[in-house]
Amino acid sequence: MAKVLSGAGLRGQVAGKTALSTVGKSGSGLTYRGYDVKDLAEKCEFEEVAFLILKGHLPNQTELNDYKAKLKGLRGLPQALKDVLERIPADAHPMDVLRTGCSMLGNLEMETEFEQQQSVTDRMLACFPSIICYWYRFSHDNVRINVETDDDSIGGHFLHMLRGEVPNELHVKVMHVSLILYAEHEFNASTFTARVCASTLSDMHSCITGAIGSLRGPLHGGANEAAMEMIEGFTSADHAEEEMMGKLARKEKIMGFGHAIYSESDPRNEIIKQWSEKLAADVGDTVLYPVSVRCEEVMWREKKLFCNADFFHASAYNFMQIPTKLFTPIFVMSRLTGWAAHVMEQRADNRIIRPSAEYIGEDLRPVPAIEERG
Ligand code: COA
C-alpha cells in the first residue's frame, strides 16, 4: 500500500531527479548546473546563463555571439499572433496575455517532434518580450511597435520596446541580473507543472503554457506585483512599520516574504537588494527604498521571516519605470529557460507522473432512484 504523506503541499518530498539546480544545499544557496547564482549574477549576461541551463555548459565567446545573434533574429511575431494580441483588452492581466500568446505561438509554430525542443525554446525566449510589449503598447498607447529592435540583450530589447527608447547601461545590467536570478529554481510549483505536462509526452508550448498559469498566482510569481502594491501605499519608513505591525496583528500574509525551502534567507534577495539600492540612488528616491528596508527589518524582528527574491525586485522594477502588472511576465521571460530545461530532462528519462490520493469521501453506497433523492 502506498505511504500517505504527512505534510501538506508535498513539502520535503523528493519528487524526481534533476541536474539543473540546487536550492538550499550549497554555495550561497542556489546553484545552476554547479555554478553559484551569486557568481553567475556578477560575471555573466542572462544569455550566457540561458545557454548554460538549456544547452548544458557555459558558452565560449563564439558560442555566445552566435546564440545572441540567433535570438536577435527570432524576435519577430507572426501576423496571426499580432492579430490575436490586438484583440485582448487593455485591462487583461499581462500573464493571461502571455499565456494566450504562448498557446497561439504553439498553434502557428507547432513542436511536431522532440528534436525541435531546443529551437522552439529559443524562439520563445526571443519572442516572449515581443509578445508582452506588442500587446501592452497596442492596448495602452494605441501603437503598433516594431518588435525587431537591434538591442544586444533580451532585457534591453524588452525595455526598448516598452519605452520606445534605447535603455541606459545601468538598466540593461539590472535586467541581466534580474533575469539570471529568476532563471531556475528546482521543483517549484510552475516547474513541477511543466514536468507533469511533459511526462504525458505533450508538446513544449503546452508545458510552458501550463507553467505560466501556475506562476501567475500571488503565492508564486505574482508576489512581486503584490509586494509593489503594498509598498507603494506606504508614505515613509515609519508609516510602513505601523502598517506592517497591523498586518501582522491581523495575521495577514505579506507577499515577498518567506519561502518553502529556504529557512533563513533567500540568496537572490541580497543581490537584487544591492541593485535596488543603486537604482534608488540613481533616481534620487527617498521613500520606496527606505520603506522596503523597514519592511524587511520589521518582518525579521517580529516573525523571523526574510525577503524572498520578489520583495526588492518590486522597488527595482519600479525605479526602472516598469508598470507593476508587467513584473510577473518578466519572471516568465527568464524562468522559461528553467521550465524548458526541466521538460527536456523529464523527456530524457520519462515515466508519466501519476501520484495517488488518500480517499477521505463517503463509503461505497448504491445510487438511489431519482424520486428518492432529497
Ligand atoms: N507573511 C506572513 N506570514 C507568513 C508568510 C508571509 N509572507 N510566510 C509564511 N508565513 C507564516 C505562515 O502563515 C506560517 O504560520 P503558521 O505556522 O502560524 O500558520 C509560518 O509562517 C510558516 O510558513 P511556511 O510553512 O514557511 O510557509 P509555506 O512553506 O507553506 O509557504 C510561501 C511558503 C512562500 C508560499 C509563503 O511563505 C508565502 O505565502 N509567502 C508570501 C508569498 C510569496 O512571497 N511568494 C513568493 C515565493 S518565492
Side-chain angles (χ1 to χ4, degrees):
M1 204 181 124
K3 204 172 135 216
V4 177
L5 306 176
S6 52
L10 297 179
R11 200 68 79 255
Q13 299 302 317
V14 174
K17 293 179 183 172
T18 185
L20 293 168
S21 62
T22 63
V23 175
K25 291 196 175 83
S26 62
S28 69
L30 175 59
T31 65
Y32 301 162
R33 292 196 187 273
Y35 298 105
D36 197 315
V37 76
K38 207 171 165 182
D39 214 9
L40 292 167
E42 205 179 298
K43 298 176 185 154
C44 294
E45 296 184 349
F46 171 61
E47 286 75 4
E48 292 173 81
V49 174
F51 188 102
L52 167 72
I53 292 171
L54 289 167
K55 327 277 179 195
H57 66 274
L58 277 171
N60 61 30
Q61 193 63 57
T62 312
E63 286 171 323
L64 179 62
N65 294 348
D66 291 351
Y67 192 49
K68 283 165 75 168
K70 180 182 183 194
L71 294 175
K72 223 186 231 191
L74 294 171
R75 289 174 177 168
L77 299 177
Q79 189 56 46
L81 176 49
K82 288 184 185 170
D83 291 344
V84 167
L85 295 174
E86 289 186 14
R87 282 162 192 260
I88 304 177
D91 61 357
H93 193 285
M95 284 296 278
D96 298 340
V97 177
L98 204 41
R99 191 191 61 214
T100 300
C102 177
S103 186
M104 182 66 183
L105 191 70
N107 285 292
L108 301 172
E109 301 175 10
M110 202 182 302
E111 184 198 33
T112 50
E113 297 180 9
F114 288 172
E115 286 79 60
Q116 297 164 340
Q117 60 186 6
Q118 288 283 355
S119 59
V120 295
T121 303
D122 290 343
R123 170 71 167 136
M124 283 191 266
L125 197 55
C127 83
F128 273 14
S130 307
I131 291 176
I132 300 163
C133 293
Y134 187 87
W135 166 79
Y136 187 82
R137 297 292 311 280
F138 181 82
S139 60
H140 289 68
D141 303 333
N142 212 18
V143 290
R144 291 188 171 95
I145 56 165
N146 169 25
V147 295
E148 296 187 70
T149 75
D150 196 35
D151 297 273
D152 187 55
S153 66
I154 289 171
H157 175 226
F158 171 77
L159 291 179
H160 187 168
M161 288 184 293
L162 186 63
R163 304 172 179 162
E165 60 185 32
V166 176
N168 69 30
E169 253 178 56
L170 173 64
H171 290 192
V172 171
K173 172 67 188 167
V174 176
M175 286 304 290
H176 276 301
V177 171
S178 168
L179 296 174
I180 288 171
L181 295 181
Y182 273 143
E184 161 55 13
H185 216 223
E186 205 219 34
F187 275 30
N188 56 83
S190 55
T191 300
F192 200 59
T193 303
R195 285 193 82 127
V196 170
C197 189
S199 82
T200 70
L201 301 184
S202 189
D203 67 290
M204 184 65 87
H205 296 91
S206 295
C207 299
I208 302 302
T209 303
I212 293 172
S214 286
L215 188 73
R216 186 193 195 294
L219 294 188
H220 194 6
N224 53 16
E225 293 178 30
M228 187 64 225
E229 278 154 19
M230 180 182 78
I231 57 177
E232 70 189 349
F234 302 154
T235 51
S236 67
D238 287 346
H239 181 220
E241 173 148 1
E242 195 185 313
E243 292 288 323
M244 294 288 282
M245 292 300 284
K247 285 177 186 292
L248 291 176
R250 293 189 297 275
K251 299 210 175 306
E252 284 177 29
K253 201 153 234 191
I254 319 278
M255 298 305 163
F257 286 87
H259 200 270
I261 308 282
Y262 302 122
S263 55
E264 288 198 347
S265 66
D266 181 332
R268 300 167 298 179
N269 177 53
E270 184 195 327
I271 302 168
I272 196 62
K273 185 180 172 188
Q274 284 169 11
W275 287 100
S276 175
E277 189 177 11
K278 283 196 181 78
L279 288 165
D282 186 58
V283 298
D285 166 76
T286 54
V287 179
L288 206 54
Y289 186 76
V291 156
S292 304
V293 170
R294 184 69 71 87
C295 292
E296 184 180 33
E297 287 166 4
V298 171
M299 287 297 275
W300 184 253
R301 187 187 71 213
E302 297 296 322
K303 300 276 287 182
K304 289 286 171 282
L305 279 167
F306 53 88
C307 296
N308 56 46
D310 291 318
F311 193 69
F312 277 93
H313 259 107
S315 51
Y317 287 163
N318 185 272
F319 294 142
M320 293 196 289
Q321 297 121 37
I322 297 172
T324 303
K325 64 183 186 175
L326 296 187
F327 288 6
T328 320
I330 300 176
F331 195 155
V332 175
M333 283 161 44
S334 159
R335 182 59 60 84
L336 167 64
T337 54
W339 291 335
H342 275 277
V343 169
M344 295 177 202
E345 198 175 49
Q346 181 69 35
R347 287 173 171 180
D349 184 18
N350 187 55
R351 187 164 186 204
I352 189 165
I353 297 173
R354 204 300 186 192
S356 302
E358 178 190 8
Y359 181 63
I360 54 165
E362 302 283 352
D363 286 339
L364 187 65
R365 50 190 174 156
V367 177
I370 196 158
E371 58 277 10
E372 288 167 16
R373 298 175 206 163

